[in-house]
Amino acid sequence: MEGDSRTLKKELRREALARRDALDERWRIEASLGMVEAAEKITVEPGEIVSGFWPMRSEVDIRPLMFALNEKGARLCVPAILDKTTMVFRELVRGAPMVEMGFGTRGPGAEAEVLDPSLMLVPLAAFDRRGHRIGYGAGYYDRAIARLQDAGRAPRLVGIAFDCQEVPLVPNEWHDVIIPEILTESGLRRFGPQI
């Protein structure tokens, strides 16, 4: 059963990413910029730690959104993959040097402060209307979120995607992290109690 679930997730991921890749590049840029308006609905306290991500391939470019949250007083951080299982979040400071982080992304070097975010903007490959997500398959975010929750720091999770990445139903697995809010070019969607 779990093997069938993984096979289906792999196929849903492939199809959703193909739809995202097919989006016109200029349209993706405009849609990404339009998501900055959602910053008004995403409340942050001065000094609150927000994790974002450096976009890769055809992902939503959330850098404008991140800097809008920074203007509201948030401290920013982005993921840094330390090894095959561990991801931490390093502080992103304007003007600080950036290094290659793998997967076609960039981020702060090892000298940057490691932070625990209270709000995480989470990339994803696909999602459904219940807030179930399909990541890229390596489980870095699932483990990082579990580590924060185990330490008593349950962050607010906001998935980031385009509408075309929605699928009818994501198969459930025991280790999956449910994302209660998803931001797309249509706006911020909040999901009720999970089914």
Side-chain angles (χ1 to χ4, degrees), residues 1 49-50 55 60 63 66 71 104 121 135 138 159 161 184:
M1 182 75 158
I49 299 169
V50 176
V60 174
R63 291 173 292 185
M66 289 168 52
E71 292 295 317
L121 304 176
T184 71

Side-chain angles (χ1 to χ4, degrees), residues 27-38:
W27 183 90
R28 280 196 320 260
I29 292 167
E30 290 298 320
S32 295
L33 289 170
M35 290 184 192
V36 173
E37 293 174 17

Side-chain angles (χ1 to χ4, degrees), residues 1 5 12 22 34 46 52 62 67 105-106 118 142 162 169 172 188:
M1 182 75 158
S5 177
L12 290 170
I62 66 161
F67 289 108
T105 66
R106 298 179 60 78
S118 59
D142 289 336
F162 292 112
L169 185 69
N172 299 5
L188 184 64

